[in-house]
Amino acid sequence: MDRAEARLMEENARIPRQPESRDVRARSRAFGYGKVILIGEHAVVYDQPALAAGLSLGVWAEVTHGTGHLTAPDWQLDTWAGESTALGQALSAILRRLDVTDVDVRVGGDLPAGVGLGSSAAFATAVARAIAQARGRDPDAALAAAADAEGIFHGTPSGIDLAAASSGEIGRFQRGAGWRPVAAARPLTLCIGLSGVQRATRDQVDQVRRLREETPPVDSVIATLGQLALAGERAVQRGDFDDLGRLFDVAHGLLAALRVSSLELDTLVHHARAAGALGAKLTGAGGGGAVIALAPGHEQDVLDRWSAAGYHGFIAEIGELGLRKRDTGIESPSNNIAASTIPRPVESST
């Protein structure tokens, strides 16, 4: 059992139990994992492979019988299906796909929002799964519903966040092929640093699209990021952290060339390297958000250096869930999302 599942069981234990005379068939809880993209962000939008991993941090959702009301007390959010907010529209999309109207949803979690760690996909996955479980819908329908919600949040998501939110393990994602679990030789400990600057994924994706249209050679940068993702997969399978760290550094340079890095992200990367990291890079859409650093034996040094510079960071283990599944023979659930459920980017006419 991973930390996320243990936390979910603890939350379940604290839910007040209603008398049997009440309609309890709708009560259900589910979890969506946060994620980090190890290598391949932005390239994945254009059909290149990307390497990503689920985090134990995430979002939980609890469903009860109701009328389409969603609350998140910890985040001071309160909305209804059909409201004009992105959250209200996303909830409507999930309910519509699952053909459900008579539920209320309460959500919470420990995943920072707007920093490139897949909070919207974790939310969509948790809510869609909880509603589907409550009303006996097929798991594939829950995935499609979550994809609909992601389309509301981001316009043209690649699908990688949703795949990682559903899986919780390391995997390679590519449009058309879907998510393929990657067997890590050993778990990875990552330092995750927060820039303190929130950004909109849609804006960063649109910026890269415009750059690609105006500067066709950018396609070669995107293709190289895809090749780095495949090399990173092999490094993870070998447990070669030195190689993976070098790939992080190269990937960050290419993402900076795509103009999605920032002063804060570059500063975090440089501090991590100076503190002994084997490699560091931005993760997610960029423009703000977070960086990841691979620093075996120097994790606290990296956190201390970030803190001294005024940045918050934390340590996360990835790959543990996949290793347990491999060692115990537990099959990973199918996380292949049909290509038709994932919005496509606006392609260049050149």
Side-chain angles (χ1 to χ4, degrees):
M1 179 184 299
D2 67 8
R3 290 189 296 272
E5 292 166 333
R7 195 164 52 247
L8 187 55
M9 289 183 66
E10 291 172 3
E11 291 285 348
N12 267 321
R14 291 197 292 269
I15 299 173
R17 300 304 175 189
Q18 302 293 340
E20 289 301 318
S21 59
R22 294 284 301 274
D23 178 9
V24 298
R25 70 186 177 87
R27 186 177 295 280
S28 176
R29 288 175 64 88
F31 189 83
Y33 296 91
K35 73 91 181 63
V36 288
I37 296 182
L38 300 176
I39 305 174
E41 45 271 275
H42 288 288
V44 72
V45 176
Y46 298 99
D47 298 329
Q48 293 294 327
L51 187 66
L55 297 172
S56 58
L57 303 176
V59 175
W60 55 262
E62 173 195 333
V63 167
T64 55
H65 188 75
T67 56
H69 187 207
L70 185 144
T71 58
D74 293 343
W75 304 325
Q76 298 181 329
L77 295 175
D78 190 308
T79 191
W80 293 82
E83 285 191 347
S84 59
T85 63
L87 206 59
Q89 292 298 309
L91 178 59
S92 290
I94 291 172
L95 294 174
R96 185 166 50 249
R97 171 73 72 164
L98 296 176
D99 192 24
V100 172
T101 58
D102 58 347
V103 293
D104 286 343
V105 184
R106 184 170 69 97
V107 300
D110 53 8
L111 187 66
V115 298
L117 300 181
S119 59
S120 65
F123 164 85
T125 296
V127 172
R129 279 178 164 174
I131 294 173
Q133 290 169 13
R135 291 307 192 213
R137 302 299 190 261
D138 188 273
D140 289 339
L143 279 174
D148 290 346
E150 271 286 85
I152 299 294
F153 289 127
H154 298 307
T156 56
S158 66
I160 190 170
D161 285 18
L162 201 59
S166 302
S167 166
E169 56 190 358
I170 300 175
R172 168 163 48 96
F173 180 85
Q174 189 168 13
R175 275 182 146 155
W179 178 268
R180 295 289 183 270
V182 172
R186 48 181 171 154
L188 284 75
T189 300
L190 290 180
C191 299
I192 301 179
L194 305 181
S195 70
V197 178
Q198 290 197 340
R199 84 291 175 274
T201 296
R202 187 186 303 222
D203 293 343
Q204 300 304 310
V205 171
D206 286 346
Q207 178 174 297
V208 172
R209 175 182 55 79
R210 289 193 298 271
L211 180 64
R212 181 171 175 260
E213 291 173 349
E214 296 165 359
T215 313
V218 163
D219 278 344
S220 64
V221 175
I222 291 172
T224 301
L225 282 167
Q227 291 302 306
L228 291 176
L230 295 177
E233 177 182 351
R234 294 189 290 271
V236 167
Q237 290 171 326
R238 297 193 307 271
D240 189 340
F241 292 169
D242 288 329
D243 191 22
L244 186 61
R246 288 189 293 269
L247 294 169
F248 277 14
D249 285 345
V250 176
H252 184 76
L254 293 178
L255 290 166
L258 293 178
R259 299 182 176 180
V260 296
S261 191
S262 67
L263 174 61
E264 294 82 5
L265 294 173
D266 287 343
T267 299
L268 283 163
V269 165
H270 291 314
H271 278 307
R273 293 170 181 166
L278 298 175
K281 61 179 288 293
L282 70 86
T283 185
V291 304
I292 55 175
L294 183 61
H298 295 279
E299 290 88 357
Q300 192 58 51
D301 295 334
V302 171
L303 296 187
D304 290 345
R305 185 135 183 161
W306 283 343
S307 180
Y311 296 101
H312 175 67
F314 57 93
I315 293 173
E317 293 281 342
I318 65 171
E320 292 181 306
L321 180 58
L323 283 171
R324 278 196 296 275
K325 287 179 178 178
R326 182 191 67 190
D327 294 342
T328 60
I330 298 174
E331 291 292 331
S332 299
S334 172
N335 290 300
N336 290 334
I337 303 169
S340 61
T341 69
I342 301 172
R344 302 289 296 180
V346 178
E347 295 292 347
S348 168
S349 60
T350 57

